[in-house]
Amino acid sequence: MESADTQTRLNIAPLAANTSLRTLAYDAIKKAITEMDMYGQDSEIRLDERQLSHDLGVSRTPIREALTVLEQEGFVRSVPRRGIFVVRKSKREIIDMIVVWAALESMAARLAASRATDRELAELRELFHDFEGEAPADHMNEYSNANIRFHQNIIRLGGCEMIAEMTENLFIHIRGIRAVSVRQENRSERSLQEHRGIIAALVARNADLAERLVREHTLGLAAHVEKHGKFPS
């Protein structure tokens, strides 16, 4: 996709000098990329080394080193004479990633049905307490954030470190896709009802049902992206 470059200022704070500056810069930039509205804009997202250096309060050397690592990991790409850009996936790649996420999260849900404590499941339900009497669409930012935390918690409650590690890098893109799609086609209301069904299955300790509902829920996102998604080619 070719479009006018837009330099993006990331939401980051100055670094503390208690560990490697490269590591701190890497962590801060990766976190900011994870939390940005990656798929909510049409223009390419170009990063400014000088702005990052200023915002983080360090020289440009650890910034360059951090960006090199992020490029090796596939989060940014360097374009000669143009700069550093945040990597956004194509529609086909996004659908494939969602399918992989569906497999991993549904297994995490199966495990969570027996491993999660009653208190942890109550906390999962509490994520949506504020939407009991109000439509999610009336508080879209808050619901979108709760939606993301819900799926993160399903992975965590599964208690499988390998699943957590495998989903970590996928999460940057899955988060961005969910943040955009939940605002489309009244998906927020449907999403809330499906979340409640998943929580009920977990509370009932019904591993088969929890696994199936999470898989169907996430594959529903893949179908939505297939039909309505507009992403980089």
Side-chain angles (χ1 to χ4, degrees), residues 67-104:
L67 290 173
T68 296
V69 176
L70 287 167
E71 182 169 20
Q72 291 169 350
E73 294 180 346
F75 297 115
V76 301
R77 60 188 173 92
S78 175
V79 181
R81 296 182 297 280
R82 291 186 63 202
I84 302 290
F85 294 82
V86 173
V87 170
R88 297 189 297 176
K89 301 297 185 180
S90 69
K91 183 174 180 176
R92 185 69 260 161
E93 289 172 323
I94 288 167
I95 292 170
D96 288 347
M97 291 171 71
I98 296 171
V99 169
V100 171
W101 184 281
L104 294 171

Side-chain angles (χ1 to χ4, degrees), residues 1 33-43 45 74-75 86-91 93-95 97-98 169-181 184 225 229-233:
M1 179 182 67
I33 291 173
T34 300
E35 296 175 350
M36 75 190 314
D37 190 8
M38 185 184 300
Y39 292 100
Q41 53 187 293
D42 294 330
S43 59
I45 303 170
F75 297 115
V86 173
V87 170
R88 297 189 297 176
K89 301 297 185 180
S90 69
K91 183 174 180 176
E93 289 172 323
I94 288 167
I95 292 170
M97 291 171 71
I98 296 171
N169 289 344
L170 288 176
F171 177 71
I172 286 183
H173 299 281
I174 297 297
R175 180 191 182 281
I177 297 307
R178 288 195 184 279
V180 171
S181 65
Q184 301 169 337
V225 170
K230 296 180 180 179
F231 302 103
S233 59

Side-chain angles (χ1 to χ4, degrees), residues 64-232:
R64 291 194 187 103
E65 293 173 344
L67 290 173
T68 296
V69 176
L70 287 167
E71 182 169 20
Q72 291 169 350
E73 294 180 346
F75 297 115
V76 301
R77 60 188 173 92
S78 175
V79 181
R81 296 182 297 280
R82 291 186 63 202
I84 302 290
F85 294 82
V86 173
V87 170
R88 297 189 297 176
K89 301 297 185 180
S90 69
K91 183 174 180 176
R92 185 69 260 161
E93 289 172 323
I94 288 167
I95 292 170
D96 288 347
M97 291 171 71
I98 296 171
V99 169
V100 171
W101 184 281
L104 294 171
E105 188 182 1
S106 61
M107 178 52 71
R110 166 171 282 279
L111 295 172
S114 60
R115 295 181 178 182
T117 66
D118 291 345
R119 178 57 189 163
E120 287 172 328
L121 295 180
E123 290 172 351
L124 195 64
R125 191 196 306 274
E126 188 66 21
L127 286 175
F128 303 108
H129 175 75
D130 292 342
F131 310 103
E132 293 294 338
E134 301 183 51
D138 294 337
H139 305 277
M140 189 52 70
N141 288 337
E142 292 83 354
Y143 181 75
S144 179
N145 289 333
N147 177 44
I148 299 301
R149 291 198 303 275
F150 174 80
H151 291 285
Q152 287 180 297
N153 281 331
I154 293 290
I155 296 294
R156 179 179 62 81
L157 294 178
C160 178
E161 291 186 11
M162 184 64 72
I163 290 178
E165 290 173 5
M166 292 174 71
T167 56
E168 181 180 357
N169 289 344
L170 288 176
F171 177 71
I172 286 183
H173 299 281
I174 297 297
R175 180 191 182 281
I177 297 307
R178 288 195 184 279
V180 171
S181 65
V182 78
R183 292 171 165 81
Q184 301 169 337
E185 299 288 311
N186 197 34
R187 280 187 56 82
S188 60
E189 186 61 43
R190 185 163 63 255
S191 165
L192 179 58
Q193 296 306 317
E194 291 175 359
H195 288 164
R196 287 171 173 161
I198 292 166
I199 293 169
L202 290 170
V203 170
R205 306 296 178 176
N206 189 330
D208 288 341
L209 181 60
E211 180 180 18
R212 178 172 64 80
L213 292 178
V214 168
R215 183 171 58 251
E216 290 175 353
H217 175 71
T218 304
L219 291 178
L221 174 62
H224 176 83
V225 170
E226 181 74 67
K227 184 176 181 180
H228 300 287
K230 296 180 180 179
F231 302 103

Side-chain angles (χ1 to χ4, degrees), residues 10 12 21-30 33 45-53 56 59-78 83-87:
L10 299 181
I12 49 182
L21 290 179
R22 184 189 72 175
T23 299
L24 288 170
Y26 166 86
D27 290 341
I29 297 170
K30 183 176 179 180
I33 291 173
I45 303 170
R46 182 158 66 98
L47 304 182
D48 185 338
E49 273 189 18
R50 283 177 294 185
Q51 188 65 59
L52 289 170
S53 174
L56 291 173
S59 71
R60 294 174 67 175
T61 297
I63 300 298
R64 291 194 187 103
E65 293 173 344
L67 290 173
T68 296
V69 176
L70 287 167
E71 182 169 20
Q72 291 169 350
E73 294 180 346
F75 297 115
V76 301
R77 60 188 173 92
S78 175
I84 302 290
F85 294 82
V86 173
V87 170

